Amino acid sequence: MSLDFVRRLPLFADLPEADLRELYQRAEPMALAAGEWLMREGESGDALFVILEGGIEITKRSGGQEVALALREPGEVIGEMALLEHAPRSASGRAAQDTRLLKIDSNAFRQVLMTSPTAALALLRTANMRLRSTEALLRQSEKMASLGTLAAGLAHELNNPAAAVQSSSRQLRQALAEWQNLAGQLDGPAFDVGQRKTVQDLQTEIARRIAEPAKLDPLTRSDLESELQDWLETKGVDRAWELAPTLITFGFDVPTLKGLTGNLSPGHFLAIVTRWLAASCLLYALLDEVRLGAERIAEIVKTVKAYAYLDQAPIQLVDVPEGLENTLIILRHKLKAGVSVVRDYAPDLPRVEAYASELNQTWTNLIDNAVDAMQGRGRLTLRTYRHEHNVVVEIADDGPGIPAEIQSRIFDPFFTTKPPGSGTGLGLHIVYNSVVHRHHGQIHLTSQPGATTFQIVLPIQLSRGQP
């Protein structure tokens, strides 16, 4: 590759001829086979590269996978951002095909910037364009990762009630068949008028007791079940061990059953009535389990609709504590391991005008970061109050804190303290843009070991005429 090719590149076009030749002589030629890595995310950046032939695919770890950002072609410069920022590589690059490059070390790069203002401006334009492009791509990736987190949380939350409904409905089918068989026997000619009256009284008693199940401590329940099992066995009732727990749950202990079945002789008649009574109670109990499971599923769906503000205008009058609570439900699967939540919501807090779904995404990012910082165990404090014409939200955790030397950079795009691949570095940047630029509010951070607080100040009314 001739010196003329390098001379035509925008970055070096205005370099004096002597400086250009010196740079070219100091540059180190490189060759990569297809698929070979040129640089890795997180490595120190001590050089930039000029692509002469072939191409370099730029990727970044996000959500546990490599996200393709761009394909750099002959004539393009890559790796300059790490040199400018004196920071580790923010992305990786590997040869998309057999590729030839020039490697320019940091000393030669500084000489170019000192010699040619035009080169510095060209580099600034390139860096700005790439930042915008990369941020746009990773924002979309961040949204998809957030959607994955939301879906995982929903799947976890829906699994338990759905499994309960499925199990209860399966048992309900078996219990109904048992109940129908026993009810048919009760209608047979073997039962006289007095015995039928006893069954009718039991039906009335079942309806009353279903509405108010017995509240018993485990030890008392165990004693009552053993006593009832022994009594049923002395009366010749089969499967007494299986019937006793259900009957005790609804308050049918030995004295109660004696009073309700006094005119039934021990043996066949008492056994059928007792089994029918237990089957009736079990039916009601299973129906109640199905109802509770369905209500829980409906509650979760309602929460998701409120969280996402589906089918509603972008700007809403938002109840901030309600949004925080909906976010806690969405993230409940991450809180269960050992996070205690302390709520301190001011009463009569006014609603705020806000981009509702964006605001909930802000709470999600901040709470999710707090839980990660505490490694899933600790105390999360949510506080809201009014200050003049603003609503203030504070989200605090008792994790290890954020080192003072990096606190000024945490809202910068692509800055993250997590290892490569564990985060895009856009979560807090998105929070900052939402609070400051979209809602014209403020966000403040105070942090030390054991006490990190993000304070979000939101105007009650959005400024009219603002985007």
Side-chain angles (χ1 to χ4, degrees):
M1 186 64 64
S2 67
L3 181 62
D4 290 338
F5 178 86
V6 178
R7 185 182 289 113
R8 290 195 298 269
L9 300 180
L11 185 60
F12 308 116
D14 293 332
L15 276 180
E17 183 67 20
D19 293 332
L20 180 63
R21 288 182 179 277
E22 180 181 355
L23 173 69
Y24 186 74
Q25 290 172 357
R26 293 177 60 179
E28 177 185 343
M30 292 183 63
L32 296 177
E36 189 175 350
W37 290 98
L38 172 65
M39 55 188 180
R40 291 277 196 172
E41 183 178 351
E43 294 176 347
S44 61
D46 58 354
L48 62 80
F49 305 91
V50 180
I51 303 174
L52 304 178
E53 292 180 357
I56 298 293
E57 181 185 35
I58 306 299
T59 65
K60 186 172 179 65
R61 295 285 295 175
S62 175
Q65 60 182 356
E66 290 283 346
V67 177
L69 299 180
L71 177 65
R72 303 303 179 198
E73 299 178 328
E76 294 195 68
V77 177
I78 58 175
E80 75 287 349
M81 292 303 300
L83 285 182
L84 287 172
E85 295 182 334
H86 302 287
R89 301 285 188 196
S90 61
S92 302
R94 62 182 169 190
Q97 53 190 294
D98 291 346
T99 300
R100 294 179 58 240
L101 311 99
L102 283 180
K103 177 181 178 180
I104 300 175
D105 64 26
S106 58
N107 292 329
F109 175 65
R110 281 195 295 270
Q111 184 65 32
V112 169
L113 296 183
M114 293 171 59
T115 305
S116 172
T118 304
L121 287 174
L123 190 64
L124 183 61
R125 283 195 298 270
T126 299
N128 184 56
M129 180 180 64
R130 287 182 182 170
L131 274 176
R132 290 177 180 273
S133 175
T134 302
E135 183 174 350
L137 284 167
L138 286 180
R139 273 179 176 272
Q140 185 63 29
S141 176
E142 188 83 10
K143 288 179 180 178
M144 296 304 294
S146 297
L147 183 61
T149 300
L150 176 62
L154 287 177
H156 193 280
E157 287 300 309
L158 288 170
N159 182 63
N160 288 339
V165 169
Q166 185 180 37
S167 175
S168 297
S169 62
R170 184 167 53 247
Q171 295 178 59
L172 194 56
R173 179 188 293 271
Q174 300 170 354
L176 183 58
E178 172 79 3
W179 180 86
Q180 287 177 323
N181 175 51
L182 294 168
Q185 295 183 48
L186 292 178
D187 286 336
F191 284 81
D192 59 30
V193 175
Q195 292 168 335
R196 291 177 190 275
K197 178 65 168 61
T198 298
V199 172
Q200 291 174 357
D201 292 341
L202 284 172
Q203 287 178 323
T204 303
E205 191 66 19
I206 289 172
R208 185 182 71 81
R209 291 176 180 272
I210 286 295
E212 299 177 3
K215 294 182 174 66
L216 302 171
D217 63 80
L219 186 58
T220 302
R221 175 184 292 274
S222 178
D223 291 342
L224 290 175
E225 288 176 2
S226 297
E227 183 183 356
L228 179 56
Q229 180 180 335
D230 293 341
W231 183 77
L232 292 175
E233 288 174 349
T234 62
K235 299 298 182 181
V237 179
D238 293 335
R239 294 162 47 202
W241 59 271
E242 184 178 342
L243 304 178
T246 301
L247 293 170
I248 290 299
T249 297
F250 294 97
F252 290 105
D253 54 16
V254 172
T256 302
L257 279 181
K258 283 181 178 179
L260 292 172
T261 62
N263 66 337
L264 295 178
S265 58
H268 181 66
F269 295 124
L270 180 60
I272 292 177
V273 171
T274 305
R275 287 169 56 201
W276 169 84
L277 179 62
S280 299
C281 291
L282 182 58
L283 280 177
Y284 278 105
L286 290 172
L287 284 171
D288 206 42
E289 288 180 10
V290 171
R291 176 185 61 81
L292 290 174
E295 287 178 354
R296 177 68 184 130
I297 291 172
E299 176 194 348
I300 294 170
V301 172
K302 180 181 177 181
T303 297
V304 173
K305 291 181 69 176
Y307 174 87
Y309 284 84
L310 298 176
D311 303 323
Q312 298 186 39
I315 298 180
Q316 299 282 322
L317 283 174
V318 175
D319 184 326
V320 171
E322 181 182 2
L324 290 169
E325 287 301 307
N326 288 338
T327 303
L328 289 176
I329 292 175
I330 296 298
L331 295 176
R332 183 153 50 193
H333 65 291
K334 298 192 70 171
L335 305 176
K336 287 179 179 178
V339 175
S340 62
V341 180
V342 178
R343 298 166 173 84
D344 183 11
Y345 300 150
D348 303 323
L349 195 71
R351 294 172 179 258
V352 300
E353 284 186 341
Y355 294 89
S357 60
E358 289 188 22
L359 206 55
N360 280 346
Q361 186 60 50
T362 293
W363 310 142
T364 301
N365 283 347
L366 291 175
I367 293 174
D368 194 36
N369 278 357
V371 174
D372 284 346
M374 296 185 291
Q375 297 183 340
R377 295 186 178 276
R379 183 175 61 193
L380 176 71
T381 303
L382 305 179
R383 183 176 295 109
T384 65
Y385 56 92
R386 178 172 182 167
H387 178 67
E388 297 179 347
H389 300 295
N390 303 301
V391 165
V392 181
V393 180
E394 294 180 355
I395 298 176
D397 67 75
D398 59 358
I402 301 172
E405 60 270 18
I406 66 170
Q407 289 183 18
S408 62
R409 300 188 59 197
I410 62 169
F411 298 112
D412 292 350
F414 313 121
F415 180 79
T416 178
T417 59
K418 298 176 181 178
S422 299
T424 61
L426 282 179
L428 289 177
H429 178 61
I430 291 172
V431 167
Y432 183 88
N433 280 340
S434 176
V435 172
V436 176
H437 299 308
R438 293 282 279 174
H439 292 96
H440 317 297
Q442 303 170 39
I443 183 167
H444 307 286
L445 166 70
T446 58
S447 183
Q448 61 184 22
T452 296
T453 302
F454 284 90
Q455 184 189 73
I456 296 88
V457 182
L458 296 169
I460 295 174
Q461 288 187 316
L462 281 175
S463 301
R464 297 306 178 188
Q466 295 290 341

